[in-house]
């Protein structure tokens, strides 16, 4: 159903949008079929129970023949028709058996002695009136039931001998009894329709609220500058990834990167250019990590984080080295059009999830990152076990193996602009 359609609970069913009418039909179809089937079965039982009464009134043969030969088959056919997908066949299956039953009862009344005729007529009338009230039909179908039921009742008396005054009065009373319940039916339909529209509105509001909450949740987990996950979003995704690799036994890699001397970059070139730098780094990191089916995020400030799983985790160092080179080749221009050289340091941790806790991966990668910073920056360092040295990959700062201990604070900034070296 269209989200934009405006629903008025006081509007009649005929003015509802087609989509709303379709929802109503789908929602109520099974219930209506079930209730009509039950009412038809009750009609068959009532018809059979009245056969002994026909013997008391002196028409056992006519009564049994019509009830078993006309009424019962019509109800059985009606039970079959109300399961049809065609609305006209469903209408016939709901209305015809009741009208037929009323007509048969009325006809039997014309064949019995006079003192019982009015009783048959009244019984047929009350049956139609109760059917109008109880059958799960909308007001239009109920009108057809009321009219066809009264015609079926009046027809045997109209085709017979001259109608006396008493019978005429009874027929008038029958007409009132068959039509008056339509007022209650209309009222009950209106109340049910209002409740239905209110429930549809409630579901629409809940759906819209869930959609908004989902959007807000997504926004709360995204970094607006880089378009990557923020720290909160990463931790949620990383927890799910860690549980998955823990269950499968696959290796996991965590890579942390930090832009070198970024505070000095901001102080020198301004925060606007710093934001541009972070956005470009985020874009190329996301492109590279997504290509290897990993997760990339902005971990805070100028720090980024990525995870790789399975066979891709073994390539974490080479992927980080590729990203390092791409960052070094980024086109960042100052206000004079001079290119500013940007570098980043990387720390990586690769292990099977069963050997480490979730936070250990990030801690070890962070330690390897600080070793990269301490050993000259612009390089990738892989942590190889709690008691082993972090192994440094071949990078701009040289090659070799170094042991790291405590965190080493970053040294003073170093940028190359217009081919000249600047130091703070």
């Amino acid at each position: 159903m269209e989200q934009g359609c405006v629903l008025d609970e006081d509007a009649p069913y005929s003015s509802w949008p087609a989509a709303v009418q379709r929802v109503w039909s789908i929602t109520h179809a099974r219930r209506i079929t079930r209730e009509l089937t039950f009412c038809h079965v009750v009609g068959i039982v009532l018809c059979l129970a009245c056969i002994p009464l026909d013997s008391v009134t002196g028409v056992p043969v006519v009564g049994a023949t019509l009830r078993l030969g006309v009424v019962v088959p019509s109800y059985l056919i009606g039970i079959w028709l109300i399961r049809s997908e065609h609305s006209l066949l469903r209408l016939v299956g709901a209305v015809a058996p009741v009208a037929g039953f009323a007509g048969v009862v009325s006809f039997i009344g014309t064949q019995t002695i006079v003192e019982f005729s009015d009783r048959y007529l009244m019984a047929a009338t009350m049956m139609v009136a109760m059917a109008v009230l109880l059958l799960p039909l909308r007001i239009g179908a109920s009108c057809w039931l009321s009219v066809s039921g009264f015609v079926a009742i009046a027809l045997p008396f109209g085709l017979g001998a001259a109608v006396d005054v008493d019978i005429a009065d009874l027929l008038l009373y029958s007409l009132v009894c068959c039509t008056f319940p339509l007022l209650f039916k209309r009222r009950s339909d209106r109340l049910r329709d209002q409740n239905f529209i209110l429930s549809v509105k409630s579901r629409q509001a809940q759906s819209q609220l869930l959609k908004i909450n989902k959007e807000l949740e997504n926004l709360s987990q995204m970094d607006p500058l880089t378009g990557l996950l923020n720290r909160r979003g990463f931790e949620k995704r990383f927890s799910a990834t860690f549980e998955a690799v823990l269950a499968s036994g696959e290796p996991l890699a965590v890579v942390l990167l930090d832009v070198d001397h970024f505070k000095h970059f901001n102080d020198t070139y301004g925060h606007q250019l710093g934001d541009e730098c972070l956005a470009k780094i985020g874009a190329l990191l996301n492109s590279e990590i997504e290509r290897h089916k990993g997760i990339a995020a902005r971990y805070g400030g100028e720090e980024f984080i990525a995870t790789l799983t399975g066979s891709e985790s073994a390539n974490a160092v080479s992927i980080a080295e590729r990203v390092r080179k791409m960052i070094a080749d980024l086109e960042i221009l100052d206000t004079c059009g001079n290119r500013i050289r940007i570098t980043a340091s990387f720390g990586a941790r690769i292990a099977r999830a069963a050997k480490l806790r979730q936070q250990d991966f990030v801690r070890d990668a962070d330690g390897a990152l600080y070793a990269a910073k301490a050993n000259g920056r612009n390089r990738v360092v892989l942590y190889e076990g709690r008691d082993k040295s972090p192994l440094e990959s071949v990078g701009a700062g040289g090659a070799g193996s170094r042991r790291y201990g405590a965190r080493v604070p970053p040294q003073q900034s170093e940028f190359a602009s217009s081919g000249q070296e600047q130091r703070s």
Side-chain angles (χ1 to χ4, degrees), residues 296-370:
R298 184 182 179 189
Y299 206 53
E302 68 273 19
E303 199 169 31
F304 295 83
I305 192 168
T307 62
L308 296 162
T309 60
S311 60
E312 298 292 349
S313 62
N315 302 320
V317 173
S318 60
I319 293 171
E321 182 63 28
R322 192 156 52 246
V323 174
R324 184 193 67 78
K325 291 178 180 179
M326 287 190 290
I327 291 175
D329 293 336
L330 274 177
E331 286 286 336
I332 305 293
L333 305 179
D334 63 12
T335 54
C336 298
N338 299 318
R339 182 176 179 272
I340 308 169
R341 185 168 180 264
I342 296 294
T343 62
S345 301
F346 292 74
R349 179 60 160 124
I350 306 173
R352 294 197 177 273
K355 295 184 178 180
L356 294 174
R357 295 174 301 174
Q358 180 177 325
Q359 58 268 33
D360 292 338
F361 278 92
V362 179
R363 183 202 62 200
D364 292 346
D366 192 44
L369 170 62
Y370 270 83

Side-chain angles (χ1 to χ4, degrees), residues 224-269:
L225 176 62
T226 61
L228 300 175
L229 291 171
N230 58 20
R231 183 166 184 163
R232 176 186 177 187
F234 171 79
E235 289 176 348
K236 184 176 180 180
R237 290 277 300 276
F238 183 48
S239 295
T241 301
F242 183 82
E243 293 297 328
V245 297
L246 186 62
S248 64
E250 293 181 329
L252 174 68
V254 173
V255 178
L256 270 169
L257 78 90
D258 186 88
V259 182
D260 296 330
H261 307 302
F262 191 71
K263 183 179 183 304
H264 181 75
F265 182 98
N266 271 337
D267 293 341
T268 304
Y269 300 104

